[in-house]
Amino acid sequence: MDDRLFRNAMGKFATGVTVISTEHNGDIHGMTANAFMSISLNPKLVLISVGEKAKMLEKIQQSKKYAVSILSHDQQVLSMNFAGQLEKPVDVQFEQLGGLPVIKDALAQISCQVVNEVQAGDHVLFIGEVTDINMTEQAPLLFFSGKYHQLAQSEEAAASS
């Protein structure tokens, strides 16, 4: 099968949208990713996948820590910013969680210490032990078939808002 067929098929799996961030030598680095999942409750572990050509790969390997900001429905521009899809970068509001930079007002913020690194094809999987979490109550930003989406509110939910 060709690469485009594979990508299109994988795009049929709807995901949330995250910004992965770390701080190294006083500089904040971030990238958009939808390759994120929880993998264990005890201990609390999550996994991210970073392409071997991504600048972020070396930053996480050096810092040995990362944060995941799960984006809310109104943060699409931040996803596009960290994916390099904007002509002019936007000013990003960070705050700290567990000593790591996270996106302000994200749906959820998770700080992690890297406990394992696994080469997987043209990506590196980073397993992180969760050190801190912060959440808000908002609707998520979704990604499906190569496009951003939002959850549709039911008429009852919209009427009660």
Side-chain angles (χ1 to χ4, degrees), residues 4-56:
R4 176 51 47 199
L5 175 64
F6 181 77
R7 287 182 67 110
N8 289 347
M10 295 304 103
K12 297 301 180 187
F13 183 67
T15 66
V17 181
T18 72
V19 169
I20 307 302
S21 54
T22 195
E23 190 166 351
H24 184 66
N25 291 335
D27 293 324
I28 295 173
H29 306 276
M31 66 172 264
T32 299
N34 63 350
F36 161 76
M37 64 184 280
S38 64
I39 56 174
S40 173
L41 185 58
N42 189 15
K44 290 163 184 54
L45 301 174
V46 297
L47 178 143
I48 60 170
S49 177
V50 179
E52 62 186 11
K53 293 181 181 175
K55 295 174 189 172
M56 183 60 112

Side-chain angles (χ1 to χ4, degrees), residues 56-97:
M56 183 60 112
L57 178 63
E58 182 180 331
K59 305 304 181 195
I60 294 174
Q61 287 172 326
Q62 292 170 346
S63 71
K64 301 291 187 209
K65 56 190 177 181
Y66 62 88
V68 180
S69 297
I70 300 173
L71 299 184
S72 66
H73 66 98
D74 60 352
Q75 294 180 314
Q76 179 178 331
V77 70
L78 295 177
S79 172
M80 295 172 72
N81 182 71
F82 286 103
Q85 297 171 334
L86 300 177
E87 285 185 33
K88 183 179 176 189
V90 297
D91 185 36
V92 179
Q93 302 253 325
F94 286 101
E95 53 192 21
Q96 291 286 310
L97 180 73

